[in-house]
Amino acid sequence: MATSRLGMGRASATGETTSREGSRTTRTRPRTRVPSGLRTCTATATTGRGRSARQAGRRHGNNNLMRCGASSTPEVHQRDSSPSRDAGFDAVGFGQAMVDYAGYVTDEFLNEVLNDLSGEGGERYKKGDRVVCTPEQLGRVLNKIDSQNFKVTTGGSLSNTLVALSRLGGAEGKKGRGLRVGMAGLVGEDPIGSFYRAKMDRAGVEYLSQPTHKTTGTVVVLTTPDAQRTMLSHFPDDPEPEDGASPSSSSSVLTPRVVSSIVNSRVLLLEGYLLECGQRVTHSVMEAMRVARRAGTLVCLTLSDASVVNRHGDLLWRALREDGGHVDIVFANAAEASALTGESDPKRAALAIAQHTKVVSVVTDGHRGSHLAGMGASQLVPPHWMPKGPLDTCGAGDAYAAGALYGLLCGASIRGMGYTGARVSSTVISQTGARLKEEDASKLTEVLPMMMFESTRLVVPEGHRLRTKSS
C-alpha cells in the first residue's frame, strides 16, 4: 500500500527531540529545510499519555513535513508564490453541489408544510427530518415563504466544510495562500450550477468538475425559533452514461483532472449524500476511494444523515470493509452512528466504527460533546460554548469536520482534533447561516493552536514560589 502524505511520525510537528533531566524537560530543534511553495507549522511536542494524530497514522510510514495555514503558530515559513494548477492540494472534497434556500419560519408554518408533504407521500415527517422532494414540491414551499425571511446561498454539507477549512487555512478567498482546497462532484449545467462554481471559487475552494447533470441540486432549509432545521432536498437524476460507456461507468464524474487532484491531495473527503445520486455516482465514490488509497491520500467519509445510512448501510459497510477497508476517518453524529452500528450509546458506536477505520472514528453528540475512537480507546471531548449560545444549528457537523481536519493537517493529537472541531462548530452555530465567516476564521487561527496539542509539563525554575514537591 502507498504511504500517506500526512507524514505522521513523531509527536512533534517540528521533529524536536526531547530529553528529561530530573524534573526538567529540554528540547533540541533540528534545522529544517522548507520545500518551495509550502508552509510548515511547528507545534508543542506531545508528552505523557497523549498520542498525536501523527502517531495514529504511523502505519502510513511517511515522515514528510506537515503543511499548515495557521499563521499564528510559531515558525511559519512561506514562499509567497502561487502554486501551479498541477500542484498538490491539502484537501479535496467529493460531493454534491447544492444551492440552499434558507429561511426562518414558525413552528406552525413548518407543521403545515410537513403535513402537506406527508399527505402526498404517505410517510409522516417531523421537525428535524430531511425530506427528499420533487422540484414541484419545493416550488410550492418557496411560494409560501415570505421573501424577506430567506436567502439563497451555495450550500451542501461538503461545501460548508471545505469553505471553513480554506478560511481556517488562511486562504481568505485568495488562491495560493495557506491550505489549498478543492472540490469535485455533481453540478448542473444550468445557471444555478454556474452560480455555485463561481461562488466556491470566490470562497477559496477550486471547483474541479465540469457539469455532470442538466440541473443542480437544491435544498430548502427551514429553521424554527428553537434553532432546529428541517431540510427539504432535491437531488438530480443519475447522469446519463457517455456513448459506449457501461451503466456503471464513472468516467463522466471522475474525469482525468479530478483523478489527478485526488492523487496529488493529502486528504480526500467524501460525503454520504452521494449515495443518494444513483448507480453511476455510487460507483464513482468507490473508485475515488480506491484511487486515493493507492496514492496514499487519506480518505475521510461523512455519513451525512441517518436516512442515508438506513437506505445505504450495505454500501457504507462495503466501503469500510472491502479489501481491508478504504476509509481512514469517519465523521458521524450519534443518530447516524447508531443507524450504522446498531449501538445506541455513542461511545460504543464510535468504537464499533473504529474497528474498520485506519486512523479514527468521530461521533458527535450535540451538547454532550464528541467521541473520538482509535487504537482501541475512545476519548470524550466536551463541547465548547460561545457566550451568546446556539442561534442556528445548521452546519454544526460540517464546521466540526472542518475544525478537526484543520487540526489533523496541522499535526494535532486525536484529542486536539476534537477540541478544534468543537471550537469551530460553536462559532458557526452562534450565528445565522452554516458558513464560517472570514473574520471568525481569522480569530480562530489565533486560539486553535493552543487546543491542538497535548500540554507539556511546565518547567518551574528552582526556588520559584510556584514550584512544589510534585513538580
Side-chain angles (χ1 to χ4, degrees), residues 198-257:
K199 292 286 283 185
M200 291 299 288
D201 280 337
R202 288 185 60 188
V205 178
E206 299 179 44
Y207 203 87
L208 306 170
S209 297
Q210 295 300 313
T212 55
H213 294 72
K214 295 292 184 183
T215 59
T216 303
T218 53
V219 57
V220 176
V221 182
L222 303 178
T223 303
T224 45
D226 59 358
Q228 291 295 309
R229 83 274 192 199
T230 303
M231 295 185 288
L232 314 179
S233 305
H234 165 66
F235 297 99
D237 295 332
D238 203 5
E240 292 294 327
E242 298 175 351
D243 293 340
S246 67
S248 62
S249 171
S250 59
S251 58
S252 62
V253 179
L254 292 181
T255 61
R257 185 186 181 196

Short mmCIF file of all heavy atoms in Angstrom, two decimals, residues 198-257:
data_model
loop_
_atom_site.label_atom_id
_atom_site.label_comp_id
_atom_site.label_asym_id
_atom_site.label_seq_id
_atom_site.Cartn_x
_atom_site.Cartn_y
_atom_site.Cartn_z
N ALA A 198 -18.89 29.58 -9.38
CA ALA A 198 -18.28 30.90 -9.20
C ALA A 198 -18.16 31.26 -7.72
O ALA A 198 -17.14 31.80 -7.27
CB ALA A 198 -19.09 31.96 -9.94
N LYS A 199 -19.20 30.97 -6.94
CA LYS A 199 -19.18 31.30 -5.52
C LYS A 199 -18.13 30.48 -4.77
O LYS A 199 -17.48 30.98 -3.86
CB LYS A 199 -20.57 31.08 -4.91
CG LYS A 199 -21.63 32.04 -5.38
CD LYS A 199 -21.44 33.42 -4.77
CE LYS A 199 -21.91 33.48 -3.35
NZ LYS A 199 -21.85 34.85 -2.79
N MET A 200 -17.98 29.21 -5.14
CA MET A 200 -16.97 28.38 -4.48
C MET A 200 -15.56 28.89 -4.78
O MET A 200 -14.70 28.93 -3.89
CB MET A 200 -17.12 26.93 -4.91
CG MET A 200 -18.38 26.25 -4.39
SD MET A 200 -18.45 26.19 -2.59
CE MET A 200 -17.19 24.94 -2.25
N ASP A 201 -15.31 29.26 -6.03
CA ASP A 201 -14.01 29.81 -6.38
C ASP A 201 -13.72 31.08 -5.58
O ASP A 201 -12.61 31.29 -5.09
CB ASP A 201 -13.94 30.10 -7.88
CG ASP A 201 -13.67 28.86 -8.71
OD1 ASP A 201 -13.12 27.89 -8.16
OD2 ASP A 201 -14.04 28.84 -9.89
N ARG A 202 -14.73 31.93 -5.43
CA ARG A 202 -14.55 33.17 -4.68
C ARG A 202 -14.30 32.89 -3.20
O ARG A 202 -13.65 33.67 -2.51
CB ARG A 202 -15.76 34.08 -4.84
CG ARG A 202 -15.89 34.71 -6.22
CD ARG A 202 -17.05 35.68 -6.27
NE ARG A 202 -16.89 36.77 -5.30
CZ ARG A 202 -17.83 37.66 -5.03
NH1 ARG A 202 -19.01 37.58 -5.65
NH2 ARG A 202 -17.63 38.61 -4.14
N ALA A 203 -14.83 31.77 -2.70
CA ALA A 203 -14.64 31.41 -1.30
C ALA A 203 -13.31 30.72 -1.04
O ALA A 203 -13.04 30.29 0.08
CB ALA A 203 -15.79 30.51 -0.83
N GLY A 204 -12.48 30.57 -2.08
CA GLY A 204 -11.17 29.97 -1.90
C GLY A 204 -11.12 28.48 -2.14
O GLY A 204 -10.12 27.84 -1.82
N VAL A 205 -12.19 27.90 -2.69
CA VAL A 205 -12.23 26.47 -2.98
C VAL A 205 -12.30 26.28 -4.50
O VAL A 205 -13.27 26.72 -5.14
CB VAL A 205 -13.46 25.80 -2.32
CG1 VAL A 205 -13.50 24.32 -2.67
CG2 VAL A 205 -13.42 25.99 -0.81
N GLU A 206 -11.29 25.66 -5.07
CA GLU A 206 -11.25 25.46 -6.52
C GLU A 206 -12.25 24.38 -6.92
O GLU A 206 -12.16 23.24 -6.44
CB GLU A 206 -9.85 25.07 -6.97
CG GLU A 206 -8.79 26.11 -6.66
CD GLU A 206 -7.41 25.65 -7.11
OE1 GLU A 206 -7.30 25.12 -8.23
OE2 GLU A 206 -6.45 25.82 -6.33
N TYR A 207 -13.18 24.71 -7.81
CA TYR A 207 -14.13 23.70 -8.27
C TYR A 207 -13.53 22.99 -9.47
O TYR A 207 -13.21 23.61 -10.48
CB TYR A 207 -15.48 24.32 -8.62
CG TYR A 207 -16.57 23.28 -8.55
CD1 TYR A 207 -17.21 23.00 -7.35
CD2 TYR A 207 -16.91 22.51 -9.66
CE1 TYR A 207 -18.17 22.01 -7.25
CE2 TYR A 207 -17.85 21.52 -9.58
CZ TYR A 207 -18.48 21.28 -8.38
OH TYR A 207 -19.42 20.28 -8.29
N LEU A 208 -13.39 21.68 -9.38
CA LEU A 208 -12.58 20.91 -10.32
C LEU A 208 -13.38 20.20 -11.40
O LEU A 208 -12.81 19.72 -12.37
CB LEU A 208 -11.76 19.87 -9.55
CG LEU A 208 -10.90 20.42 -8.40
CD1 LEU A 208 -10.35 19.28 -7.56
CD2 LEU A 208 -9.77 21.27 -8.96
N SER A 209 -14.69 20.08 -11.23
CA SER A 209 -15.51 19.26 -12.13
C SER A 209 -16.25 20.11 -13.15
O SER A 209 -16.65 21.24 -12.87
CB SER A 209 -16.53 18.43 -11.34
OG SER A 209 -15.90 17.52 -10.48
N GLN A 210 -16.45 19.54 -14.32
CA GLN A 210 -17.34 20.10 -15.31
C GLN A 210 -18.78 19.65 -15.01
O GLN A 210 -18.97 18.70 -14.26
CB GLN A 210 -16.92 19.65 -16.71
CG GLN A 210 -15.57 20.17 -17.15
CD GLN A 210 -15.50 21.67 -17.19
OE1 GLN A 210 -16.41 22.32 -17.73
NE2 GLN A 210 -14.46 22.25 -16.62
N PRO A 211 -19.79 20.32 -15.59
CA PRO A 211 -21.18 19.91 -15.32
C PRO A 211 -21.41 18.44 -15.63
O PRO A 211 -20.95 17.91 -16.66
CB PRO A 211 -21.98 20.82 -16.24
CG PRO A 211 -21.14 22.04 -16.40
CD PRO A 211 -19.72 21.54 -16.40
N THR A 212 -22.12 17.77 -14.73
CA THR A 212 -22.42 16.35 -14.88
C THR A 212 -23.91 16.09 -15.07
O THR A 212 -24.30 14.98 -15.43
CB THR A 212 -21.95 15.57 -13.64
OG1 THR A 212 -22.55 16.15 -12.47
CG2 THR A 212 -20.44 15.62 -13.51
N HIS A 213 -24.76 17.10 -14.81
CA HIS A 213 -26.21 16.94 -14.86
C HIS A 213 -26.84 18.11 -15.61
O HIS A 213 -26.20 19.13 -15.85
CB HIS A 213 -26.81 16.90 -13.44
CG HIS A 213 -26.40 15.72 -12.63
ND1 HIS A 213 -25.13 15.57 -12.12
CD2 HIS A 213 -27.10 14.63 -12.22
CE1 HIS A 213 -25.05 14.44 -11.44
NE2 HIS A 213 -26.24 13.85 -11.48
N LYS A 214 -28.11 17.96 -15.92
CA LYS A 214 -28.86 19.07 -16.51
C LYS A 214 -29.16 20.14 -15.47
O LYS A 214 -29.12 21.33 -15.75
CB LYS A 214 -30.18 18.55 -17.12
CG LYS A 214 -30.01 17.60 -18.29
CD LYS A 214 -29.45 18.31 -19.51
CE LYS A 214 -29.39 17.37 -20.71
NZ LYS A 214 -28.78 18.04 -21.90
N THR A 215 -29.49 19.71 -14.25
CA THR A 215 -29.86 20.64 -13.19
C THR A 215 -28.98 20.44 -11.96
O THR A 215 -28.38 19.38 -11.78
CB THR A 215 -31.33 20.45 -12.78
OG1 THR A 215 -31.52 19.11 -12.32
CG2 THR A 215 -32.25 20.73 -13.96
N THR A 216 -28.93 21.46 -11.12
CA THR A 216 -28.15 21.43 -9.89
C THR A 216 -29.06 21.11 -8.71
O THR A 216 -30.22 21.54 -8.67
CB THR A 216 -27.46 22.79 -9.67
OG1 THR A 216 -26.64 23.08 -10.81
CG2 THR A 216 -26.58 22.77 -8.42
N GLY A 217 -28.55 20.35 -7.75
CA GLY A 217 -29.33 20.00 -6.58
C GLY A 217 -29.70 21.23 -5.74
O GLY A 217 -28.95 22.21 -5.69
N THR A 218 -30.85 21.17 -5.11
CA THR A 218 -31.32 22.27 -4.27
C THR A 218 -31.85 21.72 -2.95
O THR A 218 -32.30 20.58 -2.88
CB THR A 218 -32.43 23.08 -4.95
OG1 THR A 218 -33.48 22.18 -5.36
CG2 THR A 218 -31.91 23.81 -6.18
N VAL A 219 -31.81 22.56 -1.92
CA VAL A 219 -32.36 22.19 -0.63
C VAL A 219 -32.97 23.42 0.02
O VAL A 219 -32.37 24.50 0.00
CB VAL A 219 -31.29 21.55 0.30
CG1 VAL A 219 -30.12 22.47 0.51
CG2 VAL A 219 -31.89 21.15 1.63
N VAL A 220 -34.17 23.26 0.53
CA VAL A 220 -34.84 24.32 1.29
C VAL A 220 -34.61 24.01 2.77
O VAL A 220 -35.02 22.95 3.26
CB VAL A 220 -36.34 24.39 0.97
CG1 VAL A 220 -37.03 25.42 1.85
CG2 VAL A 220 -36.55 24.72 -0.51
N VAL A 221 -33.95 24.91 3.47
CA VAL A 221 -33.64 24.74 4.89
C VAL A 221 -34.58 25.63 5.70
O VAL A 221 -34.51 26.86 5.59
CB VAL A 221 -32.18 25.09 5.21
CG1 VAL A 221 -31.88 24.84 6.68
CG2 VAL A 221 -31.23 24.30 4.33
N LEU A 222 -35.45 25.01 6.48
CA LEU A 222 -36.42 25.75 7.30
C LEU A 222 -35.97 25.68 8.75
O LEU A 222 -35.93 24.61 9.36
CB LEU A 222 -37.82 25.14 7.13
CG LEU A 222 -38.35 25.07 5.69
CD1 LEU A 222 -39.72 24.40 5.66
CD2 LEU A 222 -38.40 26.46 5.07
N THR A 223 -35.64 26.83 9.31
CA THR A 223 -35.15 26.91 10.69
C THR A 223 -36.21 27.53 11.58
O THR A 223 -36.72 28.62 11.28
CB THR A 223 -33.86 27.73 10.77
OG1 THR A 223 -32.88 27.16 9.90
CG2 THR A 223 -33.31 27.75 12.19
N THR A 224 -36.55 26.85 12.68
CA THR A 224 -37.57 27.32 13.62
C THR A 224 -36.92 28.09 14.77
O THR A 224 -35.69 28.07 14.92
CB THR A 224 -38.36 26.12 14.16
OG1 THR A 224 -37.46 25.07 14.53
CG2 THR A 224 -39.30 25.58 13.09
N PRO A 225 -37.68 28.77 15.60
CA PRO A 225 -37.10 29.60 16.67
C PRO A 225 -36.22 28.85 17.66
O PRO A 225 -35.38 29.46 18.33
CB PRO A 225 -38.34 30.17 17.38
CG PRO A 225 -39.38 30.23 16.32
CD PRO A 225 -39.15 29.01 15.48
N ASP A 226 -36.38 27.52 17.77
CA ASP A 226 -35.53 26.75 18.69
C ASP A 226 -34.22 26.33 18.04
O ASP A 226 -33.49 25.49 18.58
CB ASP A 226 -36.27 25.52 19.21
CG ASP A 226 -36.73 24.59 18.09
OD1 ASP A 226 -36.51 24.93 16.90
OD2 ASP A 226 -37.33 23.54 18.40
N ALA A 227 -33.88 26.90 16.88
CA ALA A 227 -32.63 26.68 16.15
C ALA A 227 -32.56 25.31 15.49
O ALA A 227 -31.51 24.91 15.00
CB ALA A 227 -31.41 26.87 17.05
N GLN A 228 -33.67 24.57 15.45
CA GLN A 228 -33.71 23.29 14.74
C GLN A 228 -34.01 23.53 13.27
O GLN A 228 -34.83 24.38 12.92
CB GLN A 228 -34.77 22.38 15.36
CG GLN A 228 -34.43 21.90 16.75
CD GLN A 228 -33.21 21.01 16.76
OE1 GLN A 228 -33.13 20.06 16.01
NE2 GLN A 228 -32.26 21.32 17.64
N ARG A 229 -33.34 22.76 12.40
CA ARG A 229 -33.60 22.95 10.97
C ARG A 229 -34.15 21.68 10.36
O ARG A 229 -33.76 20.57 10.73
CB ARG A 229 -32.36 23.43 10.24
CG ARG A 229 -31.35 22.39 9.79
CD ARG A 229 -30.37 22.04 10.83
NE ARG A 229 -29.26 21.26 10.29
CZ ARG A 229 -28.45 20.52 11.03
NH1 ARG A 229 -28.62 20.45 12.32
NH2 ARG A 229 -27.47 19.84 10.48
N THR A 230 -35.06 21.87 9.43
CA THR A 230 -35.66 20.79 8.66
C THR A 230 -35.29 21.02 7.20
O THR A 230 -35.45 22.14 6.69
CB THR A 230 -37.18 20.77 8.84
OG1 THR A 230 -37.49 20.65 10.23
CG2 THR A 230 -37.80 19.60 8.09
N MET A 231 -34.80 19.99 6.53
CA MET A 231 -34.31 20.16 5.16
C MET A 231 -35.18 19.43 4.15
O MET A 231 -35.49 18.25 4.32
CB MET A 231 -32.86 19.66 5.07
CG MET A 231 -31.90 20.49 5.90
SD MET A 231 -30.16 19.99 5.69
CE MET A 231 -30.17 18.44 6.57
N LEU A 232 -35.56 20.15 3.12
CA LEU A 232 -36.33 19.59 2.01
C LEU A 232 -35.40 19.58 0.79
O LEU A 232 -35.02 20.64 0.28
CB LEU A 232 -37.57 20.43 1.73
CG LEU A 232 -38.39 20.85 2.95
CD1 LEU A 232 -39.59 21.70 2.53
CD2 LEU A 232 -38.86 19.64 3.75
N SER A 233 -35.00 18.40 0.34
CA SER A 233 -33.92 18.29 -0.65
C SER A 233 -34.41 17.71 -1.96
O SER A 233 -35.31 16.86 -2.00
CB SER A 233 -32.79 17.39 -0.10
OG SER A 233 -32.34 17.86 1.15
N HIS A 234 -33.77 18.17 -3.03
CA HIS A 234 -33.97 17.57 -4.36
C HIS A 234 -32.60 17.25 -4.94
O HIS A 234 -31.73 18.12 -5.07
CB HIS A 234 -34.70 18.51 -5.30
CG HIS A 234 -34.61 18.08 -6.74
ND1 HIS A 234 -35.19 16.93 -7.21
CD2 HIS A 234 -33.98 18.66 -7.81
CE1 HIS A 234 -34.93 16.79 -8.49
NE2 HIS A 234 -34.20 17.83 -8.88
N PHE A 235 -32.39 15.97 -5.27
CA PHE A 235 -31.15 15.54 -5.92
C PHE A 235 -31.44 15.27 -7.39
O PHE A 235 -32.45 14.64 -7.72
CB PHE A 235 -30.62 14.26 -5.27
CG PHE A 235 -30.23 14.43 -3.83
CD1 PHE A 235 -31.09 14.04 -2.82
CD2 PHE A 235 -29.01 14.99 -3.49
CE1 PHE A 235 -30.74 14.20 -1.49
CE2 PHE A 235 -28.65 15.15 -2.16
CZ PHE A 235 -29.52 14.76 -1.16
N PRO A 236 -30.58 15.72 -8.29
CA PRO A 236 -30.80 15.45 -9.72
C PRO A 236 -30.68 13.96 -10.02
O PRO A 236 -30.10 13.19 -9.26
CB PRO A 236 -29.70 16.25 -10.41
CG PRO A 236 -28.64 16.42 -9.38
CD PRO A 236 -29.35 16.49 -8.06
N ASP A 237 -31.26 13.57 -11.15
CA ASP A 237 -31.21 12.17 -11.56
C ASP A 237 -29.78 11.76 -11.88
O ASP A 237 -28.89 12.58 -12.12
CB ASP A 237 -32.09 11.95 -12.80
CG ASP A 237 -33.56 12.18 -12.49
OD1 ASP A 237 -33.95 11.98 -11.33
OD2 ASP A 237 -34.30 12.56 -13.41
N ASP A 238 -29.56 10.43 -11.88
CA ASP A 238 -28.25 9.87 -12.22
C ASP A 238 -27.85 10.35 -13.61
O ASP A 238 -28.65 10.32 -14.54
CB ASP A 238 -28.35 8.34 -12.21
CG ASP A 238 -27.00 7.68 -11.99
OD1 ASP A 238 -26.03 8.41 -11.76
OD2 ASP A 238 -26.95 6.45 -12.06
N PRO A 239 -26.59 10.82 -13.79
CA PRO A 239 -26.17 11.29 -15.12
C PRO A 239 -26.20 10.18 -16.15
O PRO A 239 -25.95 9.01 -15.84
CB PRO A 239 -24.74 11.80 -14.88
CG PRO A 239 -24.28 11.07 -13.66
CD PRO A 239 -25.50 10.89 -12.82
N GLU A 240 -26.52 10.55 -17.36
CA GLU A 240 -26.56 9.58 -18.44
C GLU A 240 -25.16 9.12 -18.80
O GLU A 240 -24.21 9.91 -18.80
CB GLU A 240 -27.21 10.19 -19.70
CG GLU A 240 -28.69 10.50 -19.53
CD GLU A 240 -29.51 9.24 -19.35
OE1 GLU A 240 -29.13 8.20 -19.93
OE2 GLU A 240 -30.51 9.28 -18.62
N PRO A 241 -24.97 7.81 -19.10
CA PRO A 241 -23.63 7.34 -19.48
C PRO A 241 -23.21 7.92 -20.82
O PRO A 241 -24.05 8.23 -21.67
CB PRO A 241 -23.81 5.81 -19.56
CG PRO A 241 -25.27 5.61 -19.79
CD PRO A 241 -25.96 6.73 -19.08
N GLU A 242 -21.91 8.10 -20.97
CA GLU A 242 -21.40 8.58 -22.25
C GLU A 242 -21.56 7.50 -23.31
O GLU A 242 -21.78 6.33 -23.00
CB GLU A 242 -19.92 8.97 -22.09
CG GLU A 242 -19.70 10.10 -21.09
CD GLU A 242 -18.23 10.37 -20.86
OE1 GLU A 242 -17.41 9.57 -21.35
OE2 GLU A 242 -17.91 11.36 -20.18
N ASP A 243 -21.47 7.89 -24.56
CA ASP A 243 -21.64 6.94 -25.66
C ASP A 243 -20.66 5.79 -25.51
O ASP A 243 -19.44 5.99 -25.39
CB ASP A 243 -21.40 7.65 -26.99
CG ASP A 243 -22.48 8.69 -27.28
OD1 ASP A 243 -23.55 8.59 -26.67
OD2 ASP A 243 -22.22 9.59 -28.10
N GLY A 244 -21.19 4.58 -25.51
CA GLY A 244 -20.37 3.39 -25.43
C GLY A 244 -19.95 3.01 -24.03
O GLY A 244 -19.30 1.98 -23.85
N ALA A 245 -20.30 3.82 -23.02
CA ALA A 245 -19.90 3.53 -21.65
C ALA A 245 -20.92 2.60 -20.99
O ALA A 245 -22.10 2.61 -21.34
CB ALA A 245 -19.78 4.81 -20.84
N SER A 246 -20.45 1.79 -20.05
CA SER A 246 -21.34 0.89 -19.32
C SER A 246 -22.18 1.69 -18.34
O SER A 246 -21.81 2.80 -17.95
CB SER A 246 -20.53 -0.17 -18.57
OG SER A 246 -19.78 0.44 -17.54
N PRO A 247 -23.33 1.16 -17.89
CA PRO A 247 -24.18 1.88 -16.95
C PRO A 247 -23.48 2.24 -15.65
O PRO A 247 -23.87 3.19 -14.98
CB PRO A 247 -25.34 0.90 -16.71
CG PRO A 247 -25.36 0.03 -17.92
CD PRO A 247 -23.94 -0.11 -18.33
N SER A 248 -22.45 1.48 -15.27
CA SER A 248 -21.75 1.75 -14.00
C SER A 248 -20.48 2.57 -14.19
O SER A 248 -19.73 2.79 -13.24
CB SER A 248 -21.40 0.44 -13.30
OG SER A 248 -20.52 -0.33 -14.11
N SER A 249 -20.23 3.04 -15.44
CA SER A 249 -19.01 3.78 -15.70
C SER A 249 -18.99 5.08 -14.89
O SER A 249 -20.00 5.74 -14.72
CB SER A 249 -18.88 4.11 -17.19
OG SER A 249 -17.81 5.00 -17.42
N SER A 250 -17.81 5.46 -14.40
CA SER A 250 -17.66 6.68 -13.61
C SER A 250 -16.93 7.78 -14.38
O SER A 250 -16.54 8.77 -13.80
CB SER A 250 -16.91 6.37 -12.31
OG SER A 250 -15.63 5.84 -12.60
N SER A 251 -16.75 7.58 -15.71
CA SER A 251 -15.90 8.49 -16.47
C SER A 251 -16.45 9.91 -16.50
O SER A 251 -15.69 10.87 -16.58
CB SER A 251 -15.72 7.97 -17.90
OG SER A 251 -16.99 7.83 -18.54
N SER A 252 -17.78 10.08 -16.45
CA SER A 252 -18.35 11.42 -16.53
C SER A 252 -18.16 12.20 -15.23
O SER A 252 -18.27 13.41 -15.20
CB SER A 252 -19.84 11.35 -16.86
OG SER A 252 -20.54 10.66 -15.84
N VAL A 253 -17.88 11.50 -14.13
CA VAL A 253 -17.69 12.14 -12.83
C VAL A 253 -16.21 12.20 -12.48
O VAL A 253 -15.69 13.26 -12.11
CB VAL A 253 -18.47 11.39 -11.73
CG1 VAL A 253 -18.25 12.05 -10.38
CG2 VAL A 253 -19.96 11.33 -12.08
N LEU A 254 -15.51 11.08 -12.58
CA LEU A 254 -14.08 11.04 -12.28
C LEU A 254 -13.30 11.32 -13.55
O LEU A 254 -12.72 10.44 -14.18
CB LEU A 254 -13.70 9.67 -11.70
CG LEU A 254 -14.24 9.35 -10.31
CD1 LEU A 254 -13.75 7.98 -9.86
CD2 LEU A 254 -13.84 10.41 -9.30
N THR A 255 -13.27 12.58 -13.93
CA THR A 255 -12.51 13.00 -15.10
C THR A 255 -11.01 12.94 -14.79
O THR A 255 -10.61 12.87 -13.63
CB THR A 255 -12.90 14.43 -15.50
OG1 THR A 255 -12.57 15.31 -14.41
CG2 THR A 255 -14.39 14.53 -15.78
N PRO A 256 -10.15 12.99 -15.82
CA PRO A 256 -8.70 12.96 -15.56
C PRO A 256 -8.25 14.05 -14.59
O PRO A 256 -7.37 13.81 -13.76
CB PRO A 256 -8.10 13.15 -16.96
CG PRO A 256 -9.12 12.55 -17.87
CD PRO A 256 -10.45 12.90 -17.27
N ARG A 257 -8.82 15.24 -14.68
CA ARG A 257 -8.41 16.31 -13.76
C ARG A 257 -8.80 15.98 -12.32
O ARG A 257 -8.04 16.23 -11.39
CB ARG A 257 -9.05 17.63 -14.18
CG ARG A 257 -8.54 18.80 -13.32
CD ARG A 257 -9.25 20.09 -13.60
NE ARG A 257 -8.70 21.15 -12.76
CZ ARG A 257 -9.29 22.32 -12.56
NH1 ARG A 257 -10.47 22.57 -13.13
NH2 ARG A 257 -8.73 23.23 -11.78
#
